């Protein structure tokens, strides 16, 4: 990974995820209205991209196409954020349904580079599935964000790019997802190891630390020239004993850190230039 440090910081917000129950955390945005309100406030706070998981009327995770399409459309109408749909879904989602997420025509999609233990569950990403999803992103002009939960996922990214070439847009953007119980720890040491192992073709990368690793990972990412992902998918407490009440709090803090690092938050136009997403 040889890229020069970008003068600005891409902040991605992951507002919902598939793991937290609305009943346990009522501040989690799960309805379309809540997602749009969240997207709007997070954009104002400094986010340039949103990583979306969708919920059904009972606030349970779903990959229903109509809901995915409605969310993509609604966020596009009310913000200029880059819309990234999760193809990871929940640990219970079948692989074929996860492939169909691309039918909703997002700007970007997550693409996890391998299977990983996920708490007491398994987040399954067999290599043939990774290849199939990658080929479909190339055919459908969707920019993938390679999700790296472990060092082995970095090795798999070398293999994928060697076999199938560059993504649509010819930029290679990764996200280190750190501190998942079963994946790499959310530490500066692990981040540095993963960044050093990345293919030379990587043009940008962000990092997120789950739970209480969020700050250590954010500081390490900025120190190494990386970008930031934050949000209630990954972090539900703002500080010890202080629950997050809105995703914009986490985005605002990330923007403050980026400002302190003298790499202020980039706009969504700058992020489009960085990631080469298709104009839709
Ligand atoms: N919900 C996790 C099992 C992604 O969005 O692509 C997977 C996940 C990764 O959140
Ligand atoms: Zn996700």
């Amino acid at each position: 990974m040889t890229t020069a440090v970008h003068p600005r910081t891409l902040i991605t917000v992951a507002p919902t995820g598939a793991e937290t129950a609305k009943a346990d955390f009522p501040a989690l945005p799960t309805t379309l209205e809540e997602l749009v309100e969240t997207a709007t406030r997070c954009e104002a706070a400094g986010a340039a991209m949103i990583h979306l998981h969708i919920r059904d009327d009972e606030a349970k995770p779903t990959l229903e196409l109509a809901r995915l399409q409605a969310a993509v459309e609604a966020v596009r109408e009310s913000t200029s954020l880059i819309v990234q749909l999760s193809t990871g879904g929940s640990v219970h989602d079948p692989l074929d349904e996860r492939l169909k997420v691309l039918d909703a025509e997002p700007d970007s999609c997550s693409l996890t580079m391998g299977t990983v233990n996920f708490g007491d569950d398994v987040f399954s990403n067999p290599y043939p599935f990774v290849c199939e999803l990658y080929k479909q992103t190339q055919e459908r002009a969707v920019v993938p964000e390679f999700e790296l939960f472990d060092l082995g996922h970095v090795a798999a990214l070398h293999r994928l790019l060697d076999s199938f070439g560059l993504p649509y847009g010819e930029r290679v953007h990764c996200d280190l997802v750190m501190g998942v119980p079963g994946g790499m720890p959310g530490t500066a040491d692990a981040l540095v190891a993963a960044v050093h192992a990345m293919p030379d073709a990587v043009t940008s990368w962000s990092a997120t630390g789950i739970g209480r690793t969020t700050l250590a990972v954010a500081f390490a990412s900025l120190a190494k020239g990386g970008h930031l992902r934050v949000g209630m998918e990954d972090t539900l407490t703002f500080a010890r004993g202080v629950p997050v009440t809105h995703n914009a709090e986490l985005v605002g803090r990330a923007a403050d850190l980026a400002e302190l690092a003298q790499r202020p938050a980039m706009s969504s136009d700058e992020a489009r230039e960085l990631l080469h997403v298709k104009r839709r």
Side-chain angles (χ1 to χ4, degrees):
M1 158 80 216
T2 50
T3 314
V5 173
H6 198 286
R8 292 189 175 264
T9 302
L10 167 66
I11 298 177
T12 300
V13 63
T16 308
E19 282 69 44
T20 302
K22 177 83 164 174
D24 294 339
F25 229 95
L28 193 76
T30 55
T31 67
L32 193 55
E33 292 69 31
E34 287 167 347
L35 276 181
V36 167
E37 189 270 346
T38 294
T40 309
R41 273 183 64 186
C42 288
E43 182 176 35
M49 177 149 77
I50 189 163
H51 167 88
L52 284 178
H53 289 251
I54 305 304
R55 302 291 179 102
D56 65 15
D57 289 339
E58 281 155 13
K60 300 241 167 60
T62 176
L63 296 179
E64 195 191 312
L65 181 59
R67 287 180 187 271
L68 292 170
Q69 285 169 325
V72 170
E73 199 175 312
V75 174
R76 278 200 187 126
E77 264 172 22
S78 43
T79 74
S80 43
L81 293 170
I82 296 175
V83 182
Q84 177 183 91
L85 285 180
S86 166
T87 64
S90 90
V91 290
H92 308 294
D93 285 322
L95 300 179
D96 57 337
E97 283 186 30
R98 289 169 51 194
L99 284 175
K100 289 193 194 129
V101 166
L102 296 188
D103 292 346
E105 298 188 1
D107 304 312
S108 171
C109 71
S110 57
L111 200 171
T112 297
M113 285 308 303
T115 295
V116 63
N117 282 318
F118 199 85
D120 292 345
D121 294 305
V122 175
F123 178 29
S124 184
N125 296 283
Y127 190 64
F129 167 74
V130 169
C131 295
E132 181 55 35
L133 179 54
Y134 186 49
K135 285 188 280 182
Q136 290 203 19
T137 64
Q138 289 172 315
E139 283 160 18
R140 290 155 173 253
V142 175
V143 170
E145 175 181 275
F146 299 103
E147 309 295 336
L148 309 171
F149 287 68
D150 215 341
L151 211 48
H153 294 184
V154 185
L157 179 59
H158 282 264
R159 184 181 174 198
L160 186 80
L161 296 175
D162 288 348
S163 302
F164 299 102
L166 292 173
Y168 170 80
E170 307 204 334
R171 297 290 172 97
V172 180
H173 179 67
C174 299
D175 180 46
L176 301 170
V177 185
M178 310 184 69
V180 168
M184 63 183 147
T187 62
D189 288 344
L191 181 139
V192 169
V195 171
H196 277 276
M198 281 178 184
D200 285 344
V202 170
T203 49
S204 58
W205 57 274
S206 61
T208 185
I210 304 301
R212 66 182 58 160
T213 71
T214 184
L215 280 172
V217 168
F219 282 122
S221 182
L222 288 170
K224 281 294 287 175
H227 301 278
L228 301 176
R229 174 175 125 170
V230 293
M232 292 173 76
E233 173 167 345
D234 303 333
T235 309
L236 293 163
T237 50
F238 192 78
R240 197 179 291 270
V242 183
V244 175
T245 63
H246 197 285
N247 278 280
E249 295 169 359
L250 295 168
V251 174
R253 180 167 69 179
D256 289 344
L257 296 182
E259 188 82 39
L260 271 174
Q262 301 188 0
R263 288 176 51 221
M266 69 175 67
S267 67
S268 51
D269 279 348
E270 289 169 316
R272 283 190 162 75
E273 213 164 287
L274 176 73
L275 303 177
H276 280 188
V277 298
K278 185 178 175 181
R279 293 242 165 246
R280 288 179 199 271

